[in-house]
Amino acid sequence: MVERRPFLDFLTHLVLIIGIVIVAFPVYVTFVASTLTAEEVLDAPMTLIPGSHFLSNYATVLFKGGTGVAAAPVSTMLMNSMIMALGIALGKIAISIISAFAVVYFKFPLRKTFFWMIFITLMLPVEVRILPTYKVVSDLGMLNSYFGLTVPIIASATATFLFRQFFLTIPDELAEAARIDGAGPIRFFRDVLLPLSKTSIAALFVIQFIYGWNQYLWPLLITTEKSMTPVVVGVTQMISRSGDATTDWNLVMATVMLAMIPPAVVVILMQKWFVKGLVETEK
């Protein structure tokens, strides 16, 4: 039995509270800045009390857009980011789980070689193969399109490896029983493997959704139309880089707060499944 000591409990909670304050304080400052005017944000020191321009600032960026290069409304940029993040997350999971299923349950020559060829692609991130990938996407006419934003980066060696390792823990008796009952590979995959993999799928979905939402370099290269700009790229484009122009930091901070909401909602809603998929050992 673990002995409970009041001092250790107090110390533990104190450390947790300090950690929460350190993490949450910059977010609070960002929120406060999003409710002020541009002049009030630049005042030194900036007030830490929310201002009276909350509705006006958020309505401006949502429906009119901010200043700078990114003139598109933030609602459009949020929709672009949502489509890109969902496409990347669902595409990675679909391709990875089918690849792992083929590698584990189908007997074909050089299957281990093909798996390790997939795994080696971890050493070649998008930044390394950016030029040939851009050339292929450009030749296929996929610039400024949702297919161009998602298809080149939906392959995931990490997810394939995780699904393969999980499938290897499933007893062979399940596959043999399904075969005796007359179930084909597709039915075995649909009725047995998918239900068993739901926690792993949920955990990977959260990770890959945030990965897709935070994509910056690839969307920056292939989107030249403002209507296709994701919100992460749009935030940087709202910051003026010329000496004459000024940056409306209140609108930038409002955009940043809006950009944080969708991934935060996904994590909160799927927190139970996410933790269960990472720590569950008994399948």
Side-chain angles (χ1 to χ4, degrees), residues 15-274:
V15 172
L16 289 175
I17 292 173
I18 293 175
I20 292 173
V21 171
I22 293 174
V23 173
F25 184 70
V27 179
Y28 175 75
V29 172
T30 302
F31 170 75
V32 171
S34 70
T35 64
L36 304 174
T37 63
E39 292 76 15
E40 291 173 335
V41 174
L42 296 177
D43 286 342
M46 189 190 79
T47 179
L48 295 180
I49 300 175
S52 58
H53 294 78
F54 173 82
L55 293 178
S56 60
N57 288 345
Y58 282 82
T60 298
V61 296
L62 273 174
F63 304 112
K64 296 181 180 179
T67 58
V69 180
V74 174
S75 57
T76 301
M77 294 191 288
L78 288 173
M79 182 187 68
N80 294 337
S81 292
M82 181 65 68
I83 294 174
M84 182 176 67
L86 287 175
I88 291 174
L90 297 177
K92 281 179 176 288
I93 291 173
I95 291 178
S96 300
I97 197 170
I98 293 174
S99 302
F101 173 63
V103 169
V104 174
Y105 289 100
F106 286 85
K107 307 290 184 181
F108 56 90
L110 302 176
R111 63 172 182 163
K112 289 187 177 180
T113 302
F114 285 115
F115 168 73
W116 287 112
M117 289 176 62
I118 295 174
F119 192 72
I120 287 174
T121 59
L122 283 173
M123 303 178 186
L124 296 173
V126 175
E127 291 77 11
V128 174
R129 49 187 172 86
I130 198 78
L131 291 179
T133 304
Y134 179 86
K135 181 67 166 59
V136 172
V137 171
S138 177
D139 292 343
L140 293 176
M142 296 168 60
L143 298 178
N144 292 305
S145 68
Y146 293 123
F147 286 106
L149 286 171
T150 57
V151 171
I153 51 180
I154 61 174
S156 175
T158 304
T160 303
F161 175 76
L162 293 177
F163 279 123
R164 173 184 177 269
Q165 296 305 111
F166 170 69
F167 289 161
L168 290 175
T169 65
I170 297 177
D172 295 335
E173 288 78 5
L174 282 177
E176 295 176 1
R179 192 179 300 111
I180 292 173
D181 290 341
I186 301 300
R187 185 178 176 186
F188 172 70
F189 175 76
R190 182 190 62 199
D191 296 341
V192 178
L193 292 183
L194 282 182
L196 291 175
S197 306
K198 59 184 179 181
T199 54
S200 299
I201 292 174
L204 282 171
F205 175 81
V206 174
I207 296 172
Q208 301 300 345
F209 180 89
I210 296 175
Y211 167 81
W213 186 270
N214 291 331
Q215 283 295 307
Y216 174 75
L217 178 59
W218 180 246
L220 181 65
L221 287 176
I222 73 163
T223 56
T224 57
E225 297 178 1
K226 293 182 176 64
S227 60
M228 293 299 302
T229 303
V231 68
V232 175
V233 178
V235 168
T236 62
Q237 292 179 345
M238 292 174 66
I239 300 174
S240 175
R241 291 172 174 81
S242 61
D244 298 332
T246 59
T247 299
D248 292 331
W249 288 107
N250 55 333
L251 302 183
V252 174
M253 295 305 160
T255 305
V256 170
M257 292 300 302
L258 291 171
M260 288 192 295
I261 293 176
V265 170
V266 170
V267 172
I268 293 172
L269 293 181
M270 302 191 66
Q271 181 181 9
K272 178 181 177 181
W273 290 94
F274 176 70

